[in-house]
Amino acid sequence: MFTAAKRPSDSSFRYAFAETLADTAFVAAGDQSIAAIPLGSDRARSLGNAHQILPDGALLISDASMTDVVDALARLAWDPGTTLSLPLDPHGSPIDLAVWDAFCAVPACMPTTHGTIAVPCHRVLKADGSVTGYRLGVHRKRRLLAMEAAA
């Protein structure tokens, strides 16, 4: 799922929760685009993961008008091959953005290795094929890979 680099502390975000097959997603959006979609095993953990990504003091406003975004994420969870056409707002240094582009180029159901793209992502495996290194936990990484493989 999408995460963004830290933003200035004067940012504000609309948010909604999306229940997916993988976990509960906290969907944060700025004025025109999605800023972050951290996962958690429940709403509290998803919100906690959002606080790690979003700036300290960011204004969070619950917004029921994000139904279309939540619906799109739910479709993606059921069919990982679905093209996500939501406007995303990756934020960071030129290196952060290059890493984000490399991450987005990894197709669903086609995990790659860290050596190939050097990005920690649920679709990135060690060169020997083992599942390691995921900020939200290896158990969650395995679940996401299994869901994509089954789709």
Side-chain angles (χ1 to χ4, degrees):
M1 288 286 165
F2 172 70
T3 59
K6 286 268 190 178
R7 295 162 190 276
S9 61
D10 62 349
S11 298
S12 63
F13 302 93
R14 296 173 294 119
Y15 75 88
F17 288 97
E19 300 301 327
T20 73
L21 289 174
D23 273 316
T24 299
F26 177 95
V27 185
D31 291 336
Q32 301 291 324
S33 57
I34 306 301
I37 309 173
L39 297 174
S41 57
D42 56 38
R43 286 182 177 216
R45 292 217 170 121
S46 180
L47 179 58
N49 290 332
H51 282 296
Q52 292 177 11
I53 297 164
L54 299 174
D56 294 335
L59 178 61
L60 299 176
I61 305 161
S62 179
D63 191 342
S65 71
M66 292 181 61
T67 302
D68 291 344
V69 172
V70 171
D71 289 348
L73 287 171
R75 282 191 303 277
L76 181 65
W78 285 103
D79 181 7
T82 299
T83 301
L84 187 64
S85 61
L86 298 172
L88 302 178
D89 183 21
H91 188 83
S93 71
I95 292 172
D96 293 333
L97 297 176
V99 168
W100 176 249
D101 287 342
F103 164 71
C104 289
V106 177
C109 308
M110 298 292 292
T112 187
T113 66
H114 287 281
T116 302
I117 62 170
V119 178
C121 158
H122 79 274
R123 293 183 183 146
V124 179
L125 309 173
K126 282 183 66 173
D128 67 5
S130 61
V131 177
T132 63
Y134 190 55
R135 182 177 57 87
L136 298 176
V138 173
H139 70 284
R140 187 167 284 116
K141 182 173 183 169
R142 282 191 181 104
R143 187 173 347 149
L144 289 168
L145 288 169
M147 286 172 35
E148 289 183 353

